[in-house]
């Protein structure tokens, strides 16, 4: 017997605030967390990004990223009746690089916990989680894919509740790599805009709580995970497929059990590189979703890698709960081959279903359908 | 649901490459990992120049999949989007991470390499395998401290039950500081003998065989 | 010029890990991308690195790179034109 799966609580820790409320309010005010930043290396361009200067310290022995995870997970559980000691609760960590800044330390210590399983084990111990956690590390789709994985575990009865926490650091390691790829924007990124010129990197944690039983969890809301799917372009390890066919495969699976007319808006990946946004526009057009209001949150947060999927799902849930489609910041003029309906302003309307997508290095794509219960 | 069975399984460790219990290739002890992987590539007799652009982990995964998929024969009846790939390991891409970090530590000459950086993600090996074999279905990369047959079996079973795939390649791929180890299974629905049933017990037993 | 071209071919093979390609077999007038060597977008970025590392010449954008890296001969011409005295 398959169980329905709901997201019932969440938390965001980012430069925009230490709670989902503060993050949502900043988004509503069209504030961007992206600013000119110390490039951390000799750079011939100005570097923009979002980086946390201060963060809550839960445990003095924890690294920055671990403290961010611990805080966000504790905040997510605090408002519900699910205790971290519940043996039917499982943690899913979404991250690309974990404590990667530890790799640059002159004398690396075991306490740097550079390996993802070491970091996750520490978090598990600190929170007193019983179930062995699962770590999803699948490039930029990690967050969306971790929610899919957790939802499938609950649906098929392996567990009853799941915490999905996604996070990554703003690090010299990752920043220099995107710099080498000539993929960094000269200013605040402009997803789907004609003059878009690359990405900003960002730093954040997003956490969601999933359960099959919202009432027992004393949930504040319930948004059902209605559809999911992932795919691979099988085309190139860094460049997205030109025609969007790979992403379209993931979306087709996600919408298997709904009517596509029901999709109130699309929260796209929208990194603001020339090729990614173009690819997405072609995917949505071929799926007949060209008229559905669409946004990208990258000009608010930058690309927060392992956090991105979870963080963007949380803002999209706020959108559903408040019947407010968020303005796609940075967008002025159409500049993609496929026709898409990018949200130029905040749109107030009755909405119940959102399509969330992500794509990343390795040619991977993923999609989720979330619906207000 | 009809049973899932293991159609093929392959392991490659520092000593040998073995498919379905038969040795395919054995390495010379004194050779470096680079040399071993290049010999393996040559022995497969496939012209794939991109192989030399890959990091060790991707080379290892690519070679393992080359055996497992029998040159693509195993996919005769299914579409690209019906083929899934679920990989795992302990160290993510740490081997290449360390190499890339070295280049960042060079103070005189700050020239990070995009072709090294791109391999600093766990799932790039999955991307390389997907490109080679036209796998366009479900993808996942799981990190665990030890080989976790239960997680792999659970997740793969769900993918079949959800009709998200008709075939799944899954297993463990890791190369780190000159040592390597991969073990991959190709799983599909169908009749099976007991020792080829897709179960946690069988995966663990086969994994034991691959241990040095 | 012929020495520069021979060096460039060596450096390209090394930088791009073109293991089975004999540098001398590369036609300096043939297109580097598309058919032939099977180079891709990451290779283009690596060529930018090669120019910086070996010739201290900056190729600012991938678009500029498309012209500069159209052939080995074009690369050599660009180096000669931009070489600092």
């Amino acid at each position: 017997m398959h169980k329905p799966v709901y997201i019932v609580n969440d938390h965001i820790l980012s430069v925009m605030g230490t709670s989902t409320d503060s993050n949502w309010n900043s988004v509503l005010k069209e504030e961007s967390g992206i600013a000119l930043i110390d490039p951390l290396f000799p750079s011939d361009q100005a570097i923009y990004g979002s980086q946390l200067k201060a963060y809550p310290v839960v445990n003095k022995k924890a690294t920055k990223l671990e403290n961010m995870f611990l805080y966000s997970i504790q905040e997510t559980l605090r408002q519900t009746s699910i205790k971290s000691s519940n043996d039917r609760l499982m943690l899913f960590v979404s991250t690309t690089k974990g404590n990667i800044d530890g790799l640059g330390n002159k004398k690396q210590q075991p306490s740097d916990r550079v390996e993802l399983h070491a970091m996750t084990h520490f978090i598990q111990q600190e929170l007193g989680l019983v179930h062995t956690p699962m770590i999803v590390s699948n490039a930029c789709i990690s967050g969306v894919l971790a929610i899919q994985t957790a939802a499938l575990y609950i649906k098929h009865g392996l567990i009853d509740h799941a915490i999905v926490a996604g996070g990554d650091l703003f690090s010299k390691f990752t920043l220099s790599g995107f710099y080498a790829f000539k993929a960094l924007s000269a200013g605040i990124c402009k997803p789907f805009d004609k003059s878009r010129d690359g990405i900003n990197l960002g730093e954040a944690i997003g956490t969601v709580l999933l359960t099959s039983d919202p009432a027992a969890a004393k949930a504040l809301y319930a948004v059902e995970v209605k559809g999911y799917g992932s795919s691979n372009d099988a085309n190139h390890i860094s460049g997205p497929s030109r025609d969007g066919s790979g992403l379209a495969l993931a979306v087709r699976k996600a919408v298997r059990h709904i009517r596509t007319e029901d999709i109130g808006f699309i929260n796209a990946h929208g990194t603001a590189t020339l090729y990614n946004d173009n690819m997405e526009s072609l995917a949505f057009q071929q799926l007949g979703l060209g008229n559905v209001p669409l946004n990208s949150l990258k000009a608010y947060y930058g690309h927060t890698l392992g956090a991105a999927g979870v963080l963007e799902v949380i803002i999209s849930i706020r959108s559903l709960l408040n019947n407010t489609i968020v303005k796609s910041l940075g967008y002025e003029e159409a500049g993609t081959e496929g026709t898409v309906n990018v949200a130029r302003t905040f749109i107030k309307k009755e909405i119940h279903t959102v399509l969330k997508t992500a794509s990343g290095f390795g040619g991977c794509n993923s999609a989720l359908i979330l619906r207000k219960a | 649901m009809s049973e899932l069975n293991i159609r093929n399984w392959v392991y490659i460790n520092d000593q040998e490459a073995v498919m379905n219990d038969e040795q395919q290739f054995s390495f010379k002890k004194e050779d470096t990992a680079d040399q071993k992987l290049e010999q393996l590539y040559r022995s497969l007799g496939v012209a794939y120049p991109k192989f030399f652009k890959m990091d060790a982990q991707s080379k290892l995964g690519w070679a393992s999949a080359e055996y497992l998929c029998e040159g693509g024969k195993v996919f005769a009846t299914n579409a690209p989007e019906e083929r899934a790939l679920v990989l795992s390991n302990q160290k993510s891409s740490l081997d290449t991470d360390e190499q890339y970090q070295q280049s960042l530590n060079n103070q005189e000459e700050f020239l990070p390499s995009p072709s090294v950086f791109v391999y600093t993600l766990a799932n790039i090996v999955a991307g390389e395998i997907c490109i080679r074999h036209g796998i366009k279905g479900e993808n996942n990369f799981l990190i665990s401290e030890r080989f976790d047959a239960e997680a792999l079996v659970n997740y793969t079973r769900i993918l079949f039950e959800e009709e998200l795939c008709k075939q799944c390649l899954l297993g463990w791929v890791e190369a780190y500081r000159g040592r390597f180890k991969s073990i991959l299974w190709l799983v599909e629905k169908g009749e099976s003998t007991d020792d080829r049933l897709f179960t946690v017990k069988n995966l663990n037993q086969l994994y034991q065989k691959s241990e040095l | 010029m012929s020495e520069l071209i021979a060096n460039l071919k060596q450096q390209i093979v090394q930088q791009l890990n073109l293991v089975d390609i004999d540098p001398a077999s590369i036609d300096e007038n043939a297109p580097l991308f598309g058919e032939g060597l099977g180079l891709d977008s990451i290779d283009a970025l690596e060529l930018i690195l090669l120019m910086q590392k070996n010739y201290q010449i900056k190729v600012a954008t991938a678009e500029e790179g498309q012209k500069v890296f159209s052939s080995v001969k074009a690369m050599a011409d660009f180096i000669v034109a931009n070489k600092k005295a």
Side-chain angles (χ1 to χ4, degrees), chain A residues 312-368:
Chain A
E312 291 164 11
V313 156
I314 296 169
I315 296 295
S316 296
I317 288 172
R318 283 293 165 124
S319 287
L320 292 179
L321 300 176
N322 291 287
N323 291 311
T324 303
I325 300 169
V326 171
K327 171 181 171 172
S328 195
L329 202 61
Y331 177 77
E332 285 160 47
E333 197 183 338
T336 54
E337 279 180 80
T339 303
V340 279
N341 180 14
V342 185
R344 290 168 184 277
T345 55
F346 285 84
I347 304 166
K348 289 288 277 180
K349 72 185 254 199
E350 184 64 34
I351 40 172
H352 49 78
T353 303
V354 57
L355 166 64
K356 167 69 197 146
T357 67
S359 301
F361 274 7
C364 51
N365 307 283
S366 61
L368 282 177

Side-chain angles (χ1 to χ4, degrees), chain B residues 38 41-42 49-50 52-54 109-116 118, chain C residues 15-20 37-40 42-43 45-46 49 52-53:
Chain B
E38 180 170 349
Y41 167 78
R42 304 274 180 216
K50 271 196 283 180
F52 294 105
K53 294 175 184 271
M54 298 178 196
E109 208 179 30
F110 184 79
L111 292 170
S113 159
S115 68
V116 177
V118 75
Chain C
Q15 185 84 17
L16 305 185
N17 290 316
L18 304 174
V19 171
D20 287 337
L37 298 176
L39 305 189
D40 67 5
I42 302 180
D43 294 316
L45 294 164
E46 286 291 328
L49 219 59
Q52 208 171 330
K53 204 163 59 180

Side-chain angles (χ1 to χ4, degrees), chain A residues 39-280:
Chain A
L40 316 166
F41 54 80
S43 164
D44 55 14
Q45 70 173 94
I47 304 277
Y48 285 78
S50 79
Q51 187 177 24
L52 270 86
K53 296 281 184 289
Y55 56 90
V57 175
V58 177
N59 181 324
K60 281 186 183 148
K61 286 182 188 155
T63 64
K64 176 180 183 180
L65 187 65
E66 288 162 359
N67 270 311
M68 290 167 63
F69 268 118
L70 289 170
Y71 180 79
S72 186
I73 294 168
Q74 284 176 346
E75 286 299 299
T76 305
L77 288 178
R78 196 168 56 85
Q79 299 147 331
T80 73
S81 61
I82 296 173
K83 298 276 174 285
S84 59
S85 58
N86 187 322
D87 65 357
R88 297 288 293 168
L89 169 71
M90 181 169 170
L91 168 66
F92 293 76
V93 169
S94 154
T95 186
T96 63
K97 301 307 311 165
N99 287 318
I100 189 65
D101 53 350
L103 203 60
N105 289 350
K106 284 225 161 56
K107 277 196 178 157
Q108 218 187 101
Q109 305 291 333
S111 58
D112 292 333
R113 290 182 286 274
V114 168
E115 292 187 33
L116 304 182
H117 62 87
M119 175 188 82
T120 303
H121 184 73
F122 179 83
I123 293 168
Q124 180 197 0
Q125 294 289 311
E126 284 306 306
L127 294 169
L129 295 165
V130 179
H131 206 296
T132 306
M134 182 175 261
I135 306 162
V136 175
S137 189
N138 213 96
C140 308
I141 74 166
S142 301
V144 175
L145 190 57
I147 293 174
Q148 167 180 331
T149 308
L152 287 171
Y153 261 59
I154 294 172
K155 180 177 174 184
H156 290 259
L158 294 167
I159 51 171
D160 293 334
H161 322 285
I163 301 160
V164 180
D168 264 304
L169 292 169
F170 184 91
S171 68
K172 179 178 174 181
F173 187 100
T174 311
L175 187 67
S176 63
F178 282 96
Y179 174 76
F181 259 89
K182 300 203 179 294
L184 297 175
S185 174
I188 296 176
C189 69
K190 304 184 79 176
F192 295 99
D193 188 72
K194 195 175 180 181
S195 65
R196 68 188 181 278
D197 67 344
I199 72 165
N200 307 123
L201 286 173
E203 181 172 75
I205 301 278
T207 305
V208 287
L209 179 66
L210 283 74
T211 180
S212 55
D213 192 349
K218 294 218 171 99
L220 299 172
Y221 66 82
V223 168
E224 190 176 357
V225 182
K226 272 304 255 190
Y228 30 75
S230 72
S231 67
N232 196 290
D233 295 336
N235 176 53
H236 193 269
I237 51 169
S238 65
S241 79
R242 290 293 160 98
D243 61 3
S245 57
L247 174 58
L249 286 172
V251 175
R252 281 200 187 93
K253 285 190 273 190
V255 300
R256 278 192 298 181
H257 305 301
I258 66 153
R259 299 182 315 162
T260 52
E261 308 89 272
D262 290 345
I263 298 172
F265 74 102
I266 302 167
N267 176 234
H269 191 48
T271 57
T273 68
L274 231 45
Y275 292 120
N276 174 79
D277 295 5
N278 201 56
M279 176 281 285
E280 288 192 84

Side-chain angles (χ1 to χ4, degrees), chain B residues 88-130:
Chain B
S88 63
N89 74 10
Q90 181 198 45
K91 293 186 183 299
S92 181
S93 55
L94 190 58
D95 198 38
T96 303
D97 293 359
E98 290 180 350
Q99 192 192 330
Y100 182 74
Q101 183 65 43
Q102 284 283 320
S103 75
L104 296 186
N105 293 345
N106 186 339
Q107 294 298 329
E108 289 100 64
E109 208 179 30
F110 184 79
L111 292 170
S113 159
S115 68
V116 177
F117 177 70
V118 75
Y119 287 97
T120 64
L121 288 165
N123 64 303
I124 299 300
V125 54
E128 294 286 12
I129 294 172
C130 288

Side-chain angles (χ1 to χ4, degrees), chain C residues 7-85:
Chain C
N7 285 343
L8 264 176
K9 289 179 183 177
Q10 284 276 0
Q11 289 157 355
I12 291 168
V13 164
Q14 198 189 8
Q15 185 84 17
L16 305 185
N17 290 316
L18 304 174
V19 171
D20 287 337
I21 288 172
D22 172 12
S25 75
I26 300 174
D27 176 355
E28 60 258 36
N29 295 307
L32 272 173
F33 287 83
E35 291 305 298
L37 298 176
L39 305 189
D40 67 5
S41 54
I42 302 180
D43 294 316
L45 294 164
E46 286 291 328
L47 290 178
I48 293 178
L49 219 59
L50 183 157
M51 295 293 264
Q52 208 171 330
K53 204 163 59 180
N54 297 321
Y55 302 97
Q56 291 76 49
I57 294 174
K58 279 200 176 174
V59 179
T61 62
E63 288 70 48
E64 191 184 352
Q66 278 183 358
K67 281 190 216 116
V68 177
F69 305 132
S70 62
S71 67
V72 177
K73 179 73 167 53
M75 281 177 79
D77 289 342
F78 187 79
I79 291 166
V80 171
N82 288 277
K83 192 84 180 152
K84 284 171 196 139

